[in-house]
Each structure stands twice: as C-alpha cells, then as structure tokens.
C-alpha cells in the first residue's frame, strides 16, 4: 500500500531534472511522503528548494529547516560546493 519512486541523483551532479522529478513525486503523493538520502544532503536541499520556490516559504525559514540537517557553508567536502550551487538555483516561474 505504499508507493515508491526511485530518483537516482548523482551525489556530485544534481540537476534541475532531478529536482523536477522529486517535486512531481512529492506533489503526487496520496498522503504522507517519506524521502531518504544516505547523507541527507539531497533530501534537505530538495525540500529547501521546494519550500522556497513552490510552497511560498520565506527563504530564511526554508534555509533554517534545511540547516537542521546540514549546510554546505563551512563544509570542506568537495561535493558541498556542488550542493551550494544546486540550492542557489531558482525556478520561481514554475510554481504549481
């Protein structure tokens, strides 16, 4: 009775297409949605952009939620720069 959507997001190369697939999966869910990422970076970043760009949440509020899990700021892993760029992307004209 649970739906499953697999969205393989390369840890070092997230794209707008990955975010669009995530948004579609979350918005089409028929109830609570469980999202998993082994390091929680993908989940946090994707929900940050969903909250900021599609749910009308203030950027500071969306960022505070994301930063409960992690932040690319001050992180010395090379992937952190990739994810900082990903969360900086905006696609406001696509609200549903």
């Amino acid at each position: 009775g649970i739906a499953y959507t697999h969205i393989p997001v390369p840890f070092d190369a997230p794209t707008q297409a990955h975010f669009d697939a995530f948004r579609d999966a979350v918005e089409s869910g028929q109830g609570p949605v469980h999202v998993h990422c082994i390091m929680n970076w993908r989940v946090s970043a994707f929900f940050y952009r969903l909250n900021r760009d599609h749910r009308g949440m203030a950027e500071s509020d969306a960022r505070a939620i994301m930063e409960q899990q992690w932040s690319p700021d001050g992180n010395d892993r090379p992937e952190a720069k990739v994810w900082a760029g990903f969360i900086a992307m905006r696609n406001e004209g696509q609200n549903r």
Side-chain angles (χ1 to χ4, degrees), residues 2-81:
I2 189 169
Y4 177 79
T5 303
H6 180 237
I7 305 168
V9 179
F11 199 68
D12 61 348
T15 67
Q16 182 63 39
H18 295 122
F19 175 76
D20 292 341
F22 164 81
R23 187 185 68 219
D24 290 344
V26 168
E27 291 180 349
S28 67
Q30 297 294 316
V33 176
H34 174 81
V35 182
H36 171 74
C37 167
I38 197 163
M39 287 182 62
N40 223 1
W41 291 19
R42 289 172 279 213
V43 171
S44 301
F46 280 36
F47 270 107
Y48 166 78
R49 288 190 55 199
L50 182 71
N51 289 333
R52 181 194 66 191
D53 296 344
H54 299 278
R55 293 182 170 170
M57 187 178 289
E59 191 280 334
S60 59
D61 293 339
R63 182 112 189 167
I65 292 169
M66 179 185 69
E67 289 182 349
Q68 290 176 8
Q69 301 301 317
W70 86 284
S71 171
D73 300 338
N75 191 308
D76 61 357
R77 289 192 56 148
E79 300 92 346
K81 289 183 181 182

